Amino acid sequence: MDLLYPHLTVNAAGHLCIGGADAVELARQYGTPLYVMDEETVRRQCRTYRQAAAEAFGPDALPLYASKALCFAGMYKIAAEEGLGVDCVSGGELYTARYAGFPAGRIYFHGNNKTDRDIADALDMGVGTFVCDNAEELTALDRIAGEKGKVQRILLRITPGIDPHTHKAISTGRVDSKFGSAIETGQAMEIVKQALSLPHVVLCGFHCHVGSQIFDIQPFVDAARIMTDFIAAVRAETGFLASELNLGGGLGVPYTEYDRTVDYAAAIRNMAAEVRSLCADRNVPMPRVILEPGRSLVAASGITLYTVGSVKTIPGFRTYVSVDGGMPDNPRYALYQSRYTALIADRPDAPQDTRVTIAGRCCESGDLIGEDMPLQTAARGDILAVLTTGAYNYSMASNYNRLPRPAVVMVKDGQARVVVRRESYEDLVRNDIL
Ligand code: LLP
């Protein structure tokens, strides 16, 4: 069957392998559910982005890893080693980045509702750039920075008014969005003027993010055009010339054999061509360009391994294959009806001769990994692998029904190591007070 990615192979025993490690063995050794990642695939994607951004936009271009996609200390270490910056959106992500020793100057701090405490903590930490979302935040940042005797470098989050045709819940660039200030309503220009008037912030440029899991290059090219136009309009109206333009993240990844693949380097070249020609056209110097990929850096590298429990066929309806995880470790089908590829890791080459619903073990009918999924005939005790779970699975995991969060194991050169320990029942009651 189509294993989607080259780091997924089948070994002599007929088992699924990830990065050269036998998935059935990993399940036996570390237990299930288990997130497994191939380190080389993550690093290769980081290098693809870095190299393509440098070639297309110039050597000062910087891809940031949008760490909401997969957040644990080891990921910040990889991002640092690969020369990326990071996008953090909460005090918790900032704390984890600091714990991992990530250089604070290369952190961009996002979020549409930063609390005073978030702002103070980020200032104390020396976060390089705040991406300010709205007027109140800007006022609060200026005040708190002033109290601390600091002047903070900022970008402003601008809503370019683009509908990228992705799932509504992950589309963020339209005018009616909880994020940023819209160009169309005039609020974007207003917030620029406000930022320029404040003594404790230094405005460097603008940020936009149109959405996530997007395969079409056009929304990115459109965003690049609208933002370059905005830079020119701001210069004309205020005299301020933006030196930095952050074009966000959002390029998609294939989850099934029917999804398109993306040539990330080509997409970056197309964006660059647009920004370059528009800058020349508007007589605006080329800004430093920042990109912010999350999913496309980590999704492909990850798989989740489960043990099959009950297999229940309801005549005339469907077959439920239940696994020992579910929406607590992967809420994406419940939230977005996201499609995945699944296979039995003990025999991935056997024909996928059944179509099943893969169910979790929560007390909730919507606790599904997918419906109408092709799968090898499954039996209790089989190891079931779900592919492309590196992004927005562990980072969105919960303890619903008091299920402990799975461990994360990283494979490198066929060798596995635990990078996040499995939660224990003791962990679950750690903060409970009798
Ligand atoms: N920058 C900003 C400001 C963002 O809001 C996001 C994602 C990214 C970058 C990274 O986007 P990516 O390259 O990963 O598409 N939980 C959803 C995805 C939510 C995306 C949120 N923002 C999912 O599971 O599909």
Side-chain angles (χ1 to χ4, degrees), residues 166-381:
T166 185
H167 192 284
K168 191 163 161 265
I170 56 177
S171 164
T172 51
R174 295 170 307 165
V175 173
D176 178 9
S177 167
K178 73 168 183 168
F179 300 103
S181 309
I183 297 174
E184 215 170 301
T185 60
Q187 285 163 310
M189 191 62 81
E190 269 169 42
I191 197 174
V192 171
K193 290 177 183 164
Q194 181 193 0
L196 291 173
S197 75
L198 297 174
H200 301 289
V201 298
V202 176
L203 179 62
C204 296
F206 307 115
H207 167 276
C208 71
H209 172 74
V210 292
S212 198
Q213 185 60 355
I214 301 168
F215 291 93
D216 232 355
I217 306 300
Q218 200 52 43
F220 297 100
V221 171
D222 290 346
R225 177 176 42 76
I226 292 167
M227 296 303 288
T228 311
D229 273 341
F230 184 65
I231 290 175
V234 166
R235 184 176 61 176
E237 190 157 335
T238 68
F240 169 73
L241 180 59
S243 58
E244 193 166 304
L245 176 59
N246 181 330
L247 291 170
L251 282 169
V253 300
Y255 285 86
T256 72
E257 59 186 316
Y258 303 106
D259 289 334
R260 288 157 56 183
T261 53
V262 176
D263 180 341
Y264 300 100
I268 292 166
R269 277 197 299 275
N270 283 346
M271 282 185 234
E274 188 72 8
V275 177
R276 232 174 252 297
S277 88
L278 272 151
C279 283
D281 210 43
R282 308 282 186 279
N283 197 22
V284 167
M286 182 75 180
R288 176 192 199 204
V289 171
I290 309 290
L291 301 172
E292 231 166 42
R295 188 191 313 268
S296 52
L297 290 183
V298 291
S301 70
I303 64 173
T304 306
L305 300 176
Y306 303 98
T307 301
V308 173
S310 68
V311 178
K312 184 187 293 179
T313 298
I314 307 176
F317 291 89
R318 56 168 117 186
T319 298
Y320 285 93
V321 173
S322 291
V323 295
D324 55 353
M327 66 189 280
D329 63 80
N330 183 356
R332 296 192 68 257
Y333 186 75
L335 280 172
Y336 324 114
Q337 301 74 51
S338 302
R339 308 280 310 173
Y340 281 96
T341 299
L343 53 89
I344 298 298
D346 312 68
R347 45 184 183 284
D349 278 342
Q352 294 210 307
D353 52 2
T354 56
R355 288 192 93 85
V356 302
T357 292
I358 300 177
R361 56 176 180 151
C362 289
C363 296
E364 179 127 15
S365 306
D367 168 25
L368 305 174
I369 299 291
E371 292 173 276
D372 200 23
M373 295 175 80
L375 192 68
Q376 290 82 6
T377 300
R380 190 178 183 87

Side-chain angles (χ1 to χ4, degrees), residues 7 29 49 64 89 94 160 197 227 277 290 339 401 409 433:
H7 59 284
Q29 194 177 345
Y49 264 96
L64 313 179
V89 291
L94 288 176
S197 75
M227 296 303 288
S277 88
I290 309 290
R339 308 280 310 173
N401 284 183
V409 158
I433 298 169

